Amino acid sequence: MRAVIQRVQKASVCVNGETVSTIGRGLCVLIGIHKNDSRDDMEYMVRKILNIRLFEDTSGKRWNLSVKDLGLEVLCISQFTLYCEMKGNKPDYRHAMGGDLSKEFYENFLTHMRGQYKPEKIKDGIFGAMMQVDIQNDGPVTVNIDSPMKNANKMDQPQLSKDDS
């Protein structure tokens, strides 16, 4: 999995001109799902997103508190384009998980995240819809995280056994 995490003062997502989710201070997270992602990847990303220390504490010490520490909100947006690979000038999304599988995986990701935090603090857009995401970035602070096993190029190449070398 891949996440682009942005610390925000506020964020919202609209579909067809209608606001479907909005948050105040917290994190806006773009989520990409790799075709080989597993439950372990999902659990890792949930843990990292909820516990990443992107906020200052009351004494002004930076990078000391998480959304969980402060009781803030998280807006998650599914974004298959995070697994884009360029073929000349044309984007190729072959590393992204396919539609039906990724929808189920993403819904399970949100369920797991809500189970690890306050469900009412986790918001999202509409899977597969053309969305307009409006953020007021705070800092700006943007952090990219990949689940630990991810290296799209290595995962797609056949692995040699000892007998093959």
Side-chain angles (χ1 to χ4, degrees):
M1 290 183 77
R2 180 168 290 157
V4 176
I5 302 169
Q6 297 179 305
R7 186 176 74 185
V8 298
Q9 286 294 321
K10 61 183 177 178
S12 63
V13 61
C14 295
V15 176
N16 296 324
E18 184 178 328
T19 301
V20 295
S21 286
T22 185
I23 65 167
R25 187 170 179 232
L27 299 176
C28 182
V29 184
L30 307 176
I31 300 290
I33 303 169
H34 189 277
K35 65 184 178 184
N36 296 334
D37 278 335
S38 68
R39 178 85 181 174
D40 289 343
D41 296 297
M42 178 191 308
E43 290 172 358
Y44 175 86
M45 289 306 254
V46 166
R47 187 172 57 253
K48 285 298 184 185
I49 291 165
L50 293 176
N51 293 294
I52 189 168
R53 296 177 183 190
L54 296 179
F55 299 91
E56 65 183 42
D57 62 22
T58 55
S59 67
K61 184 174 179 184
R62 291 183 179 187
W63 320 115
N64 207 30
L65 298 174
S66 69
V67 289
K68 280 180 80 171
D69 296 329
L70 295 170
L72 302 177
E73 297 176 295
V74 180
L75 176 59
C76 295
I77 308 292
S78 175
Q79 190 168 347
F80 74 94
T81 60
L82 292 179
Y83 277 107
C84 175
E85 180 179 282
M86 297 304 291
K87 297 268 186 161
N89 290 326
K90 184 177 180 184
D92 180 323
Y93 303 107
R94 66 188 170 96
H95 298 294
M97 188 178 283
D100 289 340
L101 287 175
S102 62
K103 181 176 183 181
E104 180 180 353
F105 192 95
Y106 181 68
E107 288 170 357
N108 289 334
F109 165 80
L110 291 171
T111 298
H112 185 62
M113 184 175 276
R114 288 178 176 126
Q116 298 300 306
Y117 188 42
K118 301 172 184 175
E120 70 279 4
K121 298 283 186 177
I122 307 299
K123 309 282 179 73
D124 68 308
I126 297 177
F127 186 91
M130 291 295 292
M131 295 176 272
Q132 291 71 49
V133 181
D134 186 26
I135 65 164
Q136 184 177 345
N137 205 320
D138 182 22
V141 172
T142 302
V143 177
N144 300 320
I145 298 177
D146 285 321
S147 52
M149 299 175 29
K150 290 299 160 263
N151 182 329
N153 294 328
K154 285 185 181 178
M155 292 197 75
D156 289 343
Q157 294 174 357
Q159 300 297 312
L160 296 177
S161 69
K162 289 181 182 179
D163 298 333
D164 292 335
S165 41

